[in-house]
């Protein structure tokens, strides 16, 4: 059941990709809607024709979908208050402007850029406490306005801020009470001379039309809020509740930017982070259910999110914590889930396996899952860990593995012993292999380190690999024995 009174929106401008900050704003809006059985609206603020692109719009909606943030109204799903793209709402803005003009709440301003600059310089020189637009055109007569419009003089439309307007008080749900003096507000432009609406105007027209009850957005917009309140009042629309959420900073305390590494959701998606872990981490940037819980699954977030637990202090983006949470999500998967959602897709993506192979090779995939799961930071790491399985019977052996694993005394005897013991093996499971190899070092009088080091170098071409018995089992008997022969050949040359 939805509570139709609670309506929030995420309103990205498609002038770039979806960044961490925007994604966190989207998450808070989504979670607030879900926790209150409200509606989550997606609106595309594409009024900047130079910088908005369809491609960015697609990247943003893909990123939201990847994070599992489903919208109840908006592009692709429609809804009763559409269209949900500002460029498709131009007629509506014009209609509202016309209405405000008719009601004497807005007026055309013919001042040129030079005139505005001269007036500003004069106010400054005179140390006038009010330095905004001097309201030059506010009281032009109807005749003069008509005459100048007919003469094709360019004009903007400005809103009339009531001169006796009391202070504008915002009881922000995150920042608390914030008071703005209306005296300092000038009659700001709501429509440019080319007929395009300004942000402070069209965002309010849309939020009012779309019956948005709570505006949750970055606190860089807090300073726009008094102007927006003036527009709500002119429209005769109820002013929604505001929750301005803090900035996200890098670990050096500076605003998060490219310098701090990946900042777009797309980059994390491509790097292979788990969407649930990413969502979980971003939700904790400024919100916490109790100040200490770090693992908050999606459904818990969707039930427990509350603005009362959102901090007004800036949040710090900590990539190490994101990695830690990602690892938690990976290691909490069962081997079966990890095999199906991580190992198989990643190996297929890397071109090492074919899609259809999973059911046929389920037990093999389960071993791969068990040995890689504790060792990955992000899903694609399984490829590096398992790549040794796909390098054929004569793999190249790392120089260090030759030096430390194969060139040491006792290495040759170790490989010959392993060949001898495993050549006769009838079943090829990790347990069987382990049991067969276990007594070998003692039997031939070498240390475990020498024996297993030589074997690991021969089997995997490296000194670092997932557990050995499992690795040997995964290689299969023929491939493993061929690699031992190959390693013995390599040893002859060192
Ligand atoms: N399109 C605006 C932005 O991306 C929306 C701001 C708002 O939420 O009012 O900054």
């Amino acid at each position: 059941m939805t509570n139709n009174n609670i309506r929030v929106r995420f309103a990205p401008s498609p002038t770039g990709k979806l960044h961490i900050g925007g994604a966190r704003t989207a998450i808070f809006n989504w979670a607030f809607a879900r926790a209150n059985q409200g509606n989550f609206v997606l609106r595309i603020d594409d009024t900047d024709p130079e910088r908005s692109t369809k491609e960015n719009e697609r990247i943003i909606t893909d990123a939201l979908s990847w994070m599992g943030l489903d919208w109840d109204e908006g592009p692709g799903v429609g809804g009763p208050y559409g269209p949900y793209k500002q460029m498709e709402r131009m007629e509506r803005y014009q209609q509202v402007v016309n209405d405000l003009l008719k009601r004497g709440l807005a007026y055309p301003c013919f001042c040129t850029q030079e005139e505005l600059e001269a007036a500003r310089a004069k106010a400054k020189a005179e140390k006038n406490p009010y330095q905004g637009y001097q309201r030059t055109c506010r009281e032009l007569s109807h005749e003069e306005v008509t005459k100048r419009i007919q003469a094709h003089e360019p004009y903007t439309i400005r809103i009339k801020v009531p001169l006796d307007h009391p202070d504008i008080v915002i009881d922000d749900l995150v920042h608390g009470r914030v008071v703005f003096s209306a005296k300092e507000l000038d009659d700001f432009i709501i429509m440019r001379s080319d007929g395009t609406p300004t942000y402070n105007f069209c965002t309010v027209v849309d939020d009012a039309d779309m019956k948005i009850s709570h505006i949750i957005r970055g606190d860089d917009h807090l300073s726009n809020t008094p102007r927006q309140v003036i527009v709500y009042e002119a429209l005769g629309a109820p002013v929604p509740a505001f929750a301005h959420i803090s900035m996200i900073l890098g670990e050096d305390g500076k605003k998060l930017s490219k310098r701090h590494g990946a900042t777009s959701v797309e980059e994390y998606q491509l790097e292979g982070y788990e969407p649930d872990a990413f969502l979980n981490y971003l939700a904790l940037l400024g919100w916490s259910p109790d100040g200490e819980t770090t693992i908050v699954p999606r459904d818990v977030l969707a039930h427990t999110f509350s603005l009362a637990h959102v901090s007004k202090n800036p949040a710090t983006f900590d990539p190490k914590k994101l990695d830690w949470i990602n690892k938690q999500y990976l290691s909490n998967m069962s081997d079966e889930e990890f095999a199906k959602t991580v190992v198989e897709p990643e190996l297929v993506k890397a071109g090492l396996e074919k899609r259809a192979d999973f059911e046929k090779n389920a037990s093999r995939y389960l071993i791969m899952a068990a040995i890689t799961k504790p060792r990955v930071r992000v899903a694609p790491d399984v490829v590096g860990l398992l790549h040794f399985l796909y390098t054929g019977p004569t793999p190249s052996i790392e120089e260090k593995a030759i030096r430390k694993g194969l060139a040491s005394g006792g290495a040759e005897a170790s490989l010959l012993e392993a060949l001898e013991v495993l050549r006769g093996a009838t079943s090829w499971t990790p347990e069987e292999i382990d049991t067969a190899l276990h007594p070998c070092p003692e039997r031939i009088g070498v240390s475990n380190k020498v024996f297993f080091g030589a074997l690991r170098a021969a089997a995997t071409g490296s000194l670092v690999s997932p557990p050995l018995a499992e690795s040997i089992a995964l290689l299969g008997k023929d491939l493993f024995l061929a690699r031992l022969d190959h390693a013995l050949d390599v040893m002859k040359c060192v």
Side-chain angles (χ1 to χ4, degrees), residues 47 157 188-192 196-204:
T47 49
I157 304 291
F188 54 93
I189 295 174
I190 57 173
M191 193 165 265
R192 301 183 190 91
T196 58
T198 57
Y199 158 71
N200 279 324
F201 175 64
C202 58
T203 200
V204 172

Side-chain angles (χ1 to χ4, degrees), residues 45-343:
D45 284 3
D46 55 355
T47 49
D48 180 344
E50 315 260 281
R51 290 163 60 226
S52 298
T53 67
K54 284 255 166 280
E55 175 67 358
N56 285 333
E57 204 179 300
R58 187 192 57 74
I59 292 172
I60 292 170
T61 50
D62 279 1
L64 293 172
S65 301
W66 176 71
M67 291 189 289
L69 304 182
D70 52 331
W71 50 99
D72 306 305
E73 294 170 31
V77 293
Y81 303 106
Y84 293 92
K85 292 189 192 183
Q86 290 192 322
M87 280 310 261
E88 293 169 19
R89 302 177 62 78
M90 289 297 161
E91 270 175 41
R92 174 68 186 143
Y93 307 133
Q94 189 61 59
Q95 189 186 22
V96 176
V97 164
N98 292 345
D99 184 56
L100 293 178
L101 286 169
K102 214 179 301 154
R103 290 164 51 220
L105 299 174
Y107 61 92
C109 166
F110 300 92
C111 294
T112 61
Q113 208 52 42
E114 294 74 41
E115 286 165 341
L116 293 173
E117 270 158 32
R120 208 173 302 132
K122 186 160 171 275
K124 206 168 166 194
E126 289 170 356
K127 296 203 167 53
N128 187 336
Y130 172 79
Q131 305 242 336
Y133 169 66
Q134 297 293 325
R135 305 192 165 100
T136 318
C137 298
R138 183 163 162 141
E139 303 303 339
L140 294 183
S141 70
H142 184 65
E143 289 69 39
E144 178 164 3
V145 168
T146 316
K147 204 174 77 208
R148 292 174 81 167
I149 291 178
Q150 278 169 356
H152 300 294
E153 259 190 63
Y155 60 93
T156 58
I157 304 291
R158 293 183 182 268
I159 197 157
K160 267 188 195 168
V161 177
L163 296 178
D164 53 354
H165 198 292
D167 285 351
I168 296 168
V169 179
I170 311 287
D171 280 313
D172 192 272
L173 295 171
V174 173
H175 282 265
R177 178 160 288 205
V178 190
V179 180
F180 296 91
S181 162
K183 303 269 167 304
E184 279 156 32
L185 288 184
D186 62 3
D187 290 353
F188 54 93
I189 295 174
I190 57 173
M191 193 165 265
R192 301 183 190 91
S193 56
D194 63 2
T196 58
T198 57
Y199 158 71
N200 279 324
F201 175 64
C202 58
T203 200
V204 172
V205 172
D206 291 348
D207 289 336
D209 282 355
M210 294 174 186
K211 309 228 174 330
I212 300 303
S213 63
H214 293 70
I215 294 193
I216 306 170
R217 61 182 172 198
D219 63 10
D220 47 332
H221 285 294
L222 184 57
S223 59
N224 288 320
T225 310
R227 288 192 172 77
Q228 295 183 8
V229 169
I230 295 291
V231 180
Y232 280 105
E233 289 174 357
L235 299 183
V239 179
F242 291 97
H244 285 95
I245 53 183
S246 67
M247 291 256 166
I248 300 178
L249 306 178
E251 286 178 296
D252 54 2
K254 303 227 168 80
K255 191 172 178 243
L256 196 64
S257 74
K258 270 272 156 245
R259 282 181 302 117
H260 298 101
T263 50
S264 74
V265 175
E266 194 192 30
E267 285 166 281
Y268 289 91
Q269 184 178 357
L270 291 175
E271 243 196 272
Y273 281 86
E274 299 308 299
D276 283 6
F278 189 74
L279 177 86
N280 182 154
Y281 176 64
L282 257 52
L284 295 177
L285 289 174
W287 171 79
S288 161
D290 53 16
E292 52 191 57
T293 307
T294 43
I295 300 300
V296 187
R298 168 186 307 278
D299 55 329
V300 175
L301 173 67
H303 278 101
T304 57
F305 182 83
S306 142
L307 289 170
H309 289 113
V310 172
S311 163
K312 65 176 169 196
N313 299 323
T316 302
F317 184 72
D318 175 358
K320 286 191 288 306
K321 188 162 171 196
L322 168 62
D323 282 357
W324 183 83
I325 290 182
N326 201 61
K327 259 175 107 57
Q328 297 300 306
Y329 273 78
L330 290 169
S331 53
N332 283 341
M333 289 183 191
S334 67
D335 285 354
E336 171 138 20
E337 190 187 357
F338 191 84
K340 275 194 175 152
T341 62
V342 176
V343 179

Side-chain angles (χ1 to χ4, degrees), residues 392-403:
T394 56
S396 68
I397 303 175
E398 286 171 11
E399 193 273 326
K400 196 171 165 195
I402 295 178
R403 197 159 29 84

